Amino acid sequence: MTTDSRSRFTLIDILRVLGGVLLLNAFFSWWFTSTPTWGYRGKWMDTNYLKYRALGNDVNMTLSELSQYDGTDKKLPIYLAIDGEVFDVSASANIYGPGGAYHDLSGKDASRVFVTGCFRKKDEYTYDMRGLDEKEVNEDITSWKEFFHNHKKYWHVGVVQHEPITGDPPEPCEHIKFPGMHH
Ligand code: HEM
């Protein structure tokens, strides 16, 4: 092979081959999984997540700022907080947006109701954990934070500043325990 013929293998050729491989890959992926990504639909396909990863600018919000992110405003992402940690759960607008089964959890830090499961009692939607069993709180909150951290479609976006707790703690309620369901 002469130097001459080698130099004819240009960047365009490389791009052409690469493009062909990618196209073939997408074609087969579509053929077998009806998606161009071999069935993957997680957060790495979400432009908002990619933007967040690229910029890395965590939020540090007040509770009143957080309350705007409950899915009512379609232009904003949906956030929920647990133990002061804020997660983007926009991928499940059907669950956390208006009309969703767990809409009441979004736009706030409702750590308490994650432990008690007393969803019908309005004053449970708080981070006031007074009166609850400390061990149970630690276990449940840790496991829910892990759930949101490790979820394939949700991600941690930053923190919310808690305001000091005032007044009486919520009255005790009948805990719901569903071992193994979400933990
Ligand atoms: C301490 C009690 C409970 C807590 C804190 C809790 C919380 C949650 C949360 C946060 C989700 C959404 C998970 C996600 O983002 O994918 C969820 C999903 C779900 N929960 Fe619960 N839950 C509790 C008890 C129950 C009980 C007793 C039932 C059944 C009667 C139930 C039924 C469901 C169902 C069906 C889903 C799936 C919703 C969907 O994918 O559309 N949960 N739960």
Side-chain angles (χ1 to χ4, degrees):
M1 206 189 271
T2 64
T3 339
D4 221 8
S5 69
R6 220 185 289 152
S7 65
R8 260 184 244 134
F9 194 68
T10 60
L11 184 67
I12 299 289
D13 294 320
I14 297 172
L15 289 179
R16 223 179 258 155
V17 172
L18 223 92
V21 169
L22 286 176
L23 215 73
L24 259 174
N25 173 59
F27 174 78
F28 281 115
S29 167
W30 199 272
W31 184 269
F32 289 115
T33 68
S34 302
T35 72
T37 50
W38 295 101
Y40 178 75
R41 289 193 175 95
K43 56 192 165 198
W44 287 99
M45 295 288 295
D46 189 325
T47 48
N48 288 325
Y49 179 62
L50 297 178
K51 223 180 283 167
Y52 167 76
R53 290 294 299 215
L55 302 175
N57 44 357
D58 279 16
V59 299
N60 183 346
M61 40 178 47
T62 62
L63 288 167
S64 112
E65 282 164 345
L66 178 61
S67 70
Q68 295 165 12
Y69 294 81
D70 71 346
T72 316
D73 185 342
K74 297 277 178 282
K75 292 188 291 297
L76 295 178
I78 306 177
Y79 291 161
L80 65 72
I82 179 154
D83 189 27
E85 307 289 342
V86 182
F87 297 92
D88 188 316
V89 294
S90 312
S92 295
N94 57 327
I95 299 177
Y96 298 107
Y102 289 96
H103 174 54
D104 287 341
L105 294 176
S106 57
K108 55 176 88 75
D109 187 332
S111 295
R112 189 182 180 95
V113 82
F114 277 97
V115 177
T116 64
C118 298
F119 296 106
R120 298 234 173 103
K121 212 163 142 273
K122 288 285 157 238
D123 62 352
E124 292 289 308
Y125 292 81
T126 170
Y127 47 87
D128 181 352
M129 310 304 255
R130 289 177 296 169
L132 301 180
D133 180 80
E134 205 175 319
K135 185 167 168 284
E136 190 185 15
V137 167
N138 287 337
E139 279 172 12
D140 287 359
I141 295 297
T142 304
S143 113
W144 276 109
K145 281 202 284 193
E146 274 168 14
F147 171 82
F148 289 104
H149 259 295
N150 301 332
H151 196 281
K152 65 179 194 293
K153 292 188 175 179
Y154 308 151
W155 62 93
H156 182 255
V157 288
V159 294
V160 60
Q161 299 303 324
H162 283 171
E163 282 159 22
I165 289 162
T166 51
D168 295 329
E171 292 288 318
C173 70
E174 190 101 19
H175 282 32
I176 301 179
K177 267 290 163 206
F178 249 40
M181 182 165 171
H182 302 296
H183 300 249

